[in-house]
């Protein structure tokens, strides 16, 4: 088993993001090394690895060291590896993930993280940005934090995915209807406590959060407009320029991300393995 003493961690900003080098993710990695990677993920929220020769099977095996994998109800998958979701954007299938979001918050136990591998890159553009939701929380005033800590929000599959708006999913109407029936709206706390670090993080997003429970419609819309703008502040954000074979591994419990839609007419193909997490909860600080 590979145990590296040369795992090098280079932070990319103070708030979020680090480049990890000295590791080949396709190796049979030791538990110690997986522990080191987990620690880096918890500290930096999104970690990057360059030049990884990672088959779908190897990507799946690496991601599964961190938890059970989610199979997306709509998006295309790799043949024989349904847990590897394919994001294949080109002129006939423009990107639909160019909005700030946290993945799959429409289920009771949203993913703890995801491992994204660059398979085919455009010659220009196609970066991805991640924003730290612990930094976003910390930047709010104490009265605003206290207000939000008492709230829950509705996360809704059908708010994000409509039968007409299935750009990346390749799903037909029947598959869509089945997925919609199987995913009724769920409630999550607006501020969640990270289950491993104990840090509070903002946990609403523009794609899946349809409303804040208990507020009037106009109040909910105004608050979501404010929060959806707040999370985009550049001081919470790292922007990653992909290179062939690069991998990003993010903590989905305390980040949002967005792909930048600036590469058409070129093609961009990414493979994502999504790792299931726990039920979000808020615990008041002792
Ligand atoms: C995603 O939205 O999960 C993937 C982001 C990307 O394609 O860069």
């Amino acid at each position: 088993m590979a145990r590296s003493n040369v795992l090098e961690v280079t932070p990319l900003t103070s708030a979020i993001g680090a480049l990890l080098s000295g590791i080949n993710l396709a190796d049979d990695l030791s538990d110690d090394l997986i522990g080191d990677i987990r620690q880096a993920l918890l500290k930096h929220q999104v970690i990057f690895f360059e030049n990884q020769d990672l088959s779908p099977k190897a990507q799946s095996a690496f991601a599964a060291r961190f938890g059970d994998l989610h199979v997306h109800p709509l998006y295309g998958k790799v043949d024989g590896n349904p847990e590897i979701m394919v994001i294949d954007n080109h002129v006939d299938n423009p990107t639909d993930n160019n909005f700030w979001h946290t993945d799959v918050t429409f289920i009771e136990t949203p993913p703890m993280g995801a491992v994204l591998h660059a398979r085919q890159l455009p010659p220009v553009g196609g970066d991805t940005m991640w924003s730290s939701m612990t930094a976003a929380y910390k930047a709010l005033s104490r009265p605003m934090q206290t207000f939000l800590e008492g709230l829950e929000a509705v996360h809704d599959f059908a708010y994000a995915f409509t039968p007409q708006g299935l750009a990346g999913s390749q799903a037909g109407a029947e598959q869509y209807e089945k997925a919609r029936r199987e995913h009724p709206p769920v409630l999550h706390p607006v501020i969640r406590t990270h289950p491993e670090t104990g840090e509070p993080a903002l946990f609403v997003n523009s794609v899946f959060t349809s409303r804040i429970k208990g507020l009037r419609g106009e109040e909910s819309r105004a608050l979501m407009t404010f929060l959806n703008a707040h999370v985009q502040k550049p001081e919470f954000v790292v922007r990653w320029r992909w290179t062939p074979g690069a991998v990003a591994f993010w903590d989905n419990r305390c980040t949002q991300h967005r792909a930048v839609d600036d590469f058409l007419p070129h093609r961009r193909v990414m493979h994502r393995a999504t790792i299931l997490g726990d039920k979000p909860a808020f615990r008041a600080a002792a």
Side-chain angles (χ1 to χ4, degrees):
M1 281 200 173
R3 163 77 185 161
S4 165
N5 293 319
V6 293
L7 185 61
E8 230 180 274
V9 180
T10 310
L12 300 178
T13 79
S14 304
I16 183 168
L19 177 64
L20 270 62
S21 41
I23 186 168
N24 179 3
L25 299 181
D27 285 349
D28 182 15
L29 304 176
S30 68
D31 290 343
D32 284 344
L33 195 44
I34 291 292
D36 292 346
I37 293 171
R38 183 183 278 275
Q39 287 314 312
L41 179 71
L42 294 177
K43 183 163 179 198
H44 298 286
Q45 305 189 345
V46 54
I47 52 181
F48 303 101
F49 307 84
E50 290 182 306
N51 297 317
Q52 299 294 321
D53 185 8
L54 210 51
S55 66
K57 194 164 167 251
Q59 182 180 358
S60 178
F62 171 71
R65 299 290 296 275
F66 297 87
D68 293 336
L69 302 184
H70 175 254
V71 176
H72 201 282
L74 292 180
Y75 284 86
K77 288 115 189 153
V78 169
D79 279 346
N81 289 95
E83 69 287 0
I84 300 292
M85 182 181 124
V86 178
I87 302 169
D88 182 354
N89 296 123
H90 45 82
V91 276
D92 296 324
N93 185 35
T95 182
D96 68 348
N97 57 359
N98 55 326
F99 301 96
W100 284 103
H101 65 284
T102 301
D103 287 329
V104 195
T105 62
F106 56 83
I107 62 175
E108 290 283 349
T109 55
M112 67 77 74
V115 175
L116 188 68
H117 185 215
R119 303 291 299 194
Q120 181 175 334
L121 291 174
V124 289
D127 295 359
T128 307
M129 300 187 289
W130 281 264
S131 180
S132 166
M133 292 304 102
T134 54
Y137 167 86
K138 275 191 209 129
L140 296 169
S141 67
R142 188 61 201 136
M144 180 56 104
Q145 291 173 345
T146 307
F147 172 58
L148 296 177
E149 286 165 6
L151 295 174
E152 290 181 306
V154 179
H155 294 244
D156 190 348
F157 171 91
Y159 184 67
F161 300 114
T162 61
Q164 297 77 32
L166 291 174
S169 79
Q170 293 143 18
E174 207 174 305
Q175 185 183 353
Y176 172 81
E177 269 314 311
K178 180 171 181 297
R180 196 186 54 76
R181 277 196 310 275
E182 288 172 357
H183 295 92
V186 296
L187 277 178
H188 294 308
V190 169
I191 305 296
R192 77 179 289 186
T193 305
H194 193 291
E196 295 188 75
T197 65
E199 278 191 274
L202 186 58
F203 197 66
V204 288
N205 67 86
S206 68
V207 168
F208 297 117
T209 309
S210 57
R211 64 190 165 83
I212 309 278
K213 187 183 162 198
L215 300 190
R216 296 192 198 290
E218 61 187 343
E219 294 169 337
S220 173
R221 283 190 293 278
L223 184 54
M224 284 303 299
T225 300
F226 164 70
L227 292 174
N228 289 335
H230 176 68
V231 300
Q232 304 181 27
K233 292 199 173 126
E235 50 272 38
F236 314 146
V237 172
V238 64
R239 179 168 176 149
W240 176 247
R241 173 90 195 107
W242 291 96
T243 51
V247 166
F249 182 3
W250 64 93
D251 188 331
N252 197 60
R253 300 164 294 191
C254 57
T255 60
Q256 295 200 27
H257 57 279
R258 116 173 235 178
V260 182
D261 179 18
D262 60 354
F263 55 87
L264 292 180
H266 302 289
R267 188 174 177 194
R268 177 180 186 270
V269 184
M270 313 295 280
H271 283 180
R272 190 179 92 192
T274 311
I275 307 157
L276 280 166
D278 63 345
K279 190 169 165 49
F282 173 68
R283 290 191 307 275

